[in-house]
Amino acid sequence: MNKLTMHTPNLADENFKKLAALFPNAVTETVNENGEVVRAIDKDVLMQEINTHVVDGREERYQFTWPDKKKAMLTANAPISATLRPIKADSVGKDGTPGGWDSENLYIEGDNLDVLKLLRETYLGKVKMIYIDPPYNTGNDFVYEDDFAEDTDSYMGRSGQYDEQGNQLVQNTDSNGRFHTDWLNMIYPRLRVAKDLLSEDGVIFISIDDNEQENLKKCCDEIFGSQNYIGTLIRKVMEGGKSDSTGLVVEQEYCHIYGKNAPNGVYKKQSEHLDHYNKRDEYFAERGYYYLKPLENGGLGYVPTLDYPITGPDGADIYPGDFHGDNGYRWVWGKEKLERALKLDMIVFTPSQKDRTKYKVYYKTYEKVDTDGNPSVKQLPYPTLYLDGYTNRQAVNDLKRLFDKTRVFDYPKPISFLKEVIAMASQGDCLTMDFFSGSGGFAQAVIQQNAADGGHRKFIMVQLPEQTDEKSEAYKAGYKNICEIGKERIRRAAKKIREDAGLTLTQDFDGGFRCLRLDSSNMQDVYYNPVNLSQSLLDLTTDNIKPDRTPEDLLFQVMLELGVLPSSKIVETEIGGKKVFDVADGFLLACFDKGVTTETVTAIAKKQPYYAVFRDASMADDSTATNFDQIFETYSPSTVRKVL
């Protein structure tokens, strides 16, 4: 059995190995600030390796930087020892059952940087769309404090809060000398990790206002690549606007859009354009929705080679413009392309409106593939797109209607706007994410969009449990932190959808979520540093797992370690008198009970899971421990066996 590491990987180690493999001549050693010899990459050698001319000395170059940028980069790569603990009491089943555990949606409470790191390996390249609405840095915002170079006195000079895990929020006032620096240090590592989660055709939407939109775009250009900038949505946030200190009327916010690999992305555009894609093939769902366009055209000029017969459903020949000859009409495709389209089932014959005994020829224009069946490239029609009709007043009213006229959250986003961006970048069955989830509006928009178009989008919401102000309406209504607001919003929104849609709602509609909470690792410190274990500690420590942790807690840390989705199906069974978790229909079988007998081990091995996980030293006797590997070699030699 191999022992699980139970912490996220060190990306700096992985990147070093890749560079060393590519450029072994750049590998060297140096002395750190403690006088210790450590590995290093000779940057001068590396620079020479990736240039086609001689690199001599330090040259001025265009760059975007700020104090502590290098630390922000290290923060993105640094490993953590943390876990996500299931909170069943706050979870909701697909059908709205309180405490239900069958939903594929996730609501995660905790610092989003740590959460993103925990999810990085499991969801690597799996998220189709990310939308975030981070703090705008208006001078009154709280931003995440990631423990950079600020001294204690400076920190205590600013009001802040800690959550139960010690995560910090600090107020970033415009009088702070590190005003932009603190904000950039906060956003940069989160975007670095978020990029890893995006699929190759994935897209990220980031809302922002004038305070940091320029810095945000430079950050994104560096992280995602300027070539993957898709465009910027400009949203009119209020009617009439308001004046800032210069006297100018400010009435808009921005939403920058970047792709993981923009040429492979598929993005629907303006509202009026969305209605065109109103049909869908049952057998070609991966192509997305489509609309029909006439194959004949009378405005492109007559071309004899494009005036040829097409055999209709009744066996009769069909010509452009109803007859053969120079009548101004022609097909838009040649015979060869038509044959390809017929084989791909992209041609549709419909009775003519003028003469129902004749047929017209149409071709399908899909969202996700072109007329040759290849992935399509559909970019925004303009670098910027102005969106009217999505005001902040609408957003406030959206929320107040759900919460019985109580204003439980300031500055939410309009559901209509969120549904618009969801429709732009996601169709059908895909994974979406919002790791600055606030009041949970994005989750509401996802389930509303699913109800509207029959989609099966899933969401992951992440929010720090920031305390509500004791003077606020939210606090007086019983919501002590923002997470309580977000979870309740999803519950209420899903309930309303079920009531309004009734029998028209799809049977597999998922209006629930699994609630998880970020916490310190389930493992005792000695698990990670066994060399520090002394005999006196050994007398006191009989287990490497913290005493307050449940088998369910252990299961989720194991799932994250092994890359098993936290939304996977989980069934509790009993084998040989011991509780066994069956995850993803037998992919993972885990037993964390003590006193595991040969009978239990054999029964698990006979089920031939891909992974089998047990607690360290959980075997009932020496005989079971001795025969453990032999049992698996007999019944399931391919099973990967792990202990914690």
Side-chain angles (χ1 to χ4, degrees):
M1 290 185 287
N2 296 319
K3 199 161 188 176
L4 293 164
T5 62
M6 304 298 275
H7 62 68
T8 60
N10 189 326
L11 292 194
D13 288 338
E14 298 298 320
N15 292 335
F16 181 87
K17 291 177 184 177
K18 293 175 184 176
L19 281 174
L22 288 172
F23 309 107
N25 57 329
V27 176
T28 185
E29 294 178 348
T30 187
V31 177
N32 65 15
E33 61 273 14
N34 298 322
E36 301 167 330
V37 177
V38 295
R39 71 184 186 194
I41 293 288
D42 188 322
K43 64 179 180 181
D44 293 329
V45 174
L46 183 60
M47 289 172 63
Q48 189 61 69
E49 286 282 5
I50 61 177
N51 277 278
T52 57
H53 64 278
V54 176
V55 178
D56 184 21
R58 182 176 179 84
E59 298 179 2
E60 292 184 343
R61 64 187 186 278
Y62 176 81
Q63 60 181 319
F64 175 53
T65 190
W66 64 90
D68 291 335
K69 181 179 180 181
K70 291 182 179 179
K71 291 184 179 180
M73 296 172 67
L74 289 174
T75 299
N77 291 332
I80 59 170
S81 298
T83 189
L84 298 177
R85 302 179 67 182
I87 312 297
K88 281 192 174 183
D90 288 359
S91 301
V92 180
K94 286 184 178 181
D95 61 357
T97 302
W101 198 244
D102 60 347
S103 175
E104 295 183 79
N105 300 316
L106 300 179
Y107 188 98
I108 305 175
E109 303 179 17
D111 184 314
N112 53 18
L113 180 57
D114 285 350
V115 172
L116 288 170
K117 287 183 177 184
L118 286 173
L119 299 180
R120 175 157 42 190
E121 293 300 311
T122 303
Y123 286 97
L124 188 69
K126 290 184 172 67
V127 180
K128 178 63 173 70
M129 175 198 177
I130 295 174
Y131 171 82
I132 58 172
D133 183 23
Y136 284 3
N137 214 21
T138 60
N140 298 306
D141 290 332
F142 282 88
V143 298
Y144 290 81
E145 172 66 30
D146 291 321
D147 192 24
F148 290 99
E150 186 176 29
D151 60 54
T152 304
D153 291 339
S154 298
Y155 173 76
M156 294 306 293
R158 296 187 277 158
S159 59
Q161 328 181 7
Y162 290 82
D163 68 7
E164 293 177 357
Q165 287 74 51
N167 300 304
Q168 307 173 36
L169 283 176
V170 297
Q171 192 169 25
N172 197 30
T173 63
D174 50 15
S175 61
N176 173 28
R178 296 165 52 93
F179 182 61
H180 293 293
T181 291
D182 282 352
W183 190 87
L184 287 166
N185 285 336
M186 179 274 295
I187 199 69
Y188 186 85
R190 288 163 173 82
L191 293 179
R192 282 281 298 265
V193 182
K195 179 186 176 183
D196 292 339
L197 273 62
L198 281 176
S199 60
E200 285 304 305
D201 63 346
V203 194
I204 185 169
F205 293 74
I206 311 172
S207 286
I208 200 69
D209 72 358
D210 286 299
N211 290 286
E212 295 291 354
Q213 72 87 13
E214 183 178 7
N215 285 331
L216 174 63
K217 189 173 186 307
K218 289 177 180 177
C219 261
C220 290
D221 283 345
E222 179 171 315
I223 294 170
F224 298 99
S226 58
Q227 73 276 12
N228 289 320
Y229 169 65
I230 295 170
T232 297
L233 305 177
I234 301 177
R235 180 176 68 91
K236 186 176 182 180
V237 298
M238 61 184 66
E239 299 294 339
K242 62 180 180 179
S243 297
D244 64 11
S245 59
T246 66
L248 297 175
V249 174
V250 179
E251 60 176 17
Q252 76 280 334
E253 289 180 359
Y254 311 91
C255 185
H256 293 319
I257 311 173
Y258 282 79
K260 176 73 169 287
N261 187 6
N264 290 334
V266 179
Y267 315 104
K268 290 205 247 178
K269 301 303 151 279
Q270 299 157 329
S271 299
E272 59 268 25
H273 183 63
L274 300 181
D275 295 334
H276 291 184
Y277 294 93
N278 55 8
K279 305 178 187 299
R280 193 171 192 179
D281 284 323
E282 180 180 355
Y283 299 106
F284 302 108
E286 71 279 1
R287 297 178 181 177
Y289 288 85
Y290 71 88
Y291 66 94
L292 296 177
K293 292 185 70 173
L295 190 64
E296 65 179 16
N297 191 287
L300 296 178
Y302 181 71
V303 178
T305 57
L306 296 177
D307 181 13
Y308 56 86
I310 297 175
T311 304
D314 57 358
D317 288 341
I318 305 172
Y319 284 95
D322 293 336
F323 67 88
H324 181 57
D326 186 1
N327 59 356
Y329 281 86
R330 43 160 281 199
W331 302 122
V332 296
W333 295 345
K335 290 183 179 180
E336 185 178 344
K337 185 166 184 176
L338 173 69
E339 290 300 322
R340 290 199 303 269
L342 284 167
K343 291 178 180 178
L344 292 169
D345 195 27
M346 290 186 172
I347 299 299
V348 174
F349 298 92
T350 62
S352 170
Q353 295 295 321
K354 295 180 181 179
D355 185 349
R356 306 296 289 183
T357 65
K358 297 182 178 180
Y359 288 90
K360 290 290 185 180
V361 187
Y362 294 83
Y363 65 93
K364 300 174 182 178
T365 298
Y366 287 96
E367 296 171 305
K368 297 186 177 183
V369 296
D370 60 22
T371 50
D372 287 319
N374 299 317
S376 61
V377 179
K378 297 179 183 178
Q379 298 294 341
L380 285 165
Y382 308 103
T384 58
L385 185 61
Y386 190 80
L387 296 177
D388 199 359
Y390 305 100
T391 65
N392 288 348
R393 182 182 296 275
Q394 290 178 352
V396 172
N397 290 336
D398 287 340
L399 200 52
K400 289 175 72 174
R401 276 192 291 270
L402 273 181
F403 283 85
D404 305 320
K405 299 182 180 181
T406 302
R407 183 165 182 164
V408 295
F409 191 80
D410 293 328
Y411 310 116
K413 287 291 177 288
I415 295 301
S416 54
F417 166 70
L418 295 173
K419 289 173 67 177
E420 180 82 1
V421 299
I422 290 168
M424 284 182 184
S426 67
Q427 298 88 34
D429 185 7
C430 67
L431 182 60
T432 65
M433 179 182 232
D434 179 358
F435 54 86
F436 284 96
S437 71
S439 66
F442 182 76
Q444 178 181 346
V446 168
I447 58 178
Q448 282 191 3
Q449 190 65 29
N450 283 342
D453 64 15
H456 298 88
R457 303 169 187 84
K458 296 172 281 291
F459 62 74
I460 300 175
M461 309 293 286
V462 185
Q463 176 60 43
L464 190 73
E466 179 184 346
Q467 298 171 9
T468 54
D469 191 309
E470 294 185 6
K471 298 179 181 179
S472 67
E473 291 185 47
Y475 187 90
K476 294 175 182 177
Y479 303 104
K480 300 301 185 291
N481 63 58
I482 293 177
C483 290
E484 293 179 5
I485 298 171
K487 289 179 289 188
E488 182 62 18
R489 180 174 193 169
I490 302 171
R491 296 185 191 105
R492 294 189 180 208
K495 180 181 178 182
K496 187 175 189 329
I497 290 172
R498 293 188 191 94
E499 292 173 349
D500 293 346
L503 297 177
T504 63
L505 200 62
T506 58
Q507 290 185 346
D508 56 353
F509 172 74
D510 188 352
F513 58 87
R514 290 185 182 183
C515 182
L516 305 173
R517 185 170 296 152
L518 178 71
D519 207 333
S520 60
S521 172
N522 294 314
M523 316 310 292
Q524 302 273 19
D525 290 341
V526 296
Y527 181 89
Y528 300 102
N529 300 290
V531 294
N532 297 330
L533 185 64
S534 66
Q535 183 62 44
S536 60
L537 283 174
L538 190 61
D539 294 336
L540 296 173
T541 305
T542 58
D543 202 338
N544 57 11
I545 297 169
K546 293 176 180 175
D548 65 333
R549 303 305 165 95
T550 67
E552 287 78 9
D553 292 335
L554 300 179
L555 176 66
F556 272 84
Q557 188 162 2
V558 166
M559 289 169 67
L560 291 170
E561 172 86 2
L562 299 178
V564 182
L565 298 182
S567 58
S568 298
K569 178 182 176 182
I570 301 172
V571 176
E572 293 183 17
T573 62
E574 186 175 295
I575 299 177
K578 303 299 179 183
K579 179 193 288 187
V580 176
F581 295 100
D582 182 331
V583 182
D585 296 319
F587 181 75
L588 163 66
L589 293 180
C591 179
F592 304 117
D593 287 358
K594 294 183 178 181
V596 174
T597 64
T598 300
E599 176 189 359
T600 302
V601 174
T602 302
I604 290 175
K606 285 182 176 180
K607 291 181 177 293
Q608 299 184 328
Y610 186 87
Y611 286 113
V613 181
F614 300 83
R615 289 176 75 158
D616 194 12
S618 63
M619 301 302 144
D621 48 49
D622 292 340
S623 175
T624 303
T626 302
N627 295 324
F628 180 89
D629 283 320
Q630 186 57 49
I631 292 171
F632 272 93
E633 288 300 321
T634 301
Y635 295 104
S636 185
S638 63
T639 293
V640 180
R641 290 145 257 170
K642 299 282 187 179
V643 297
L644 59 94

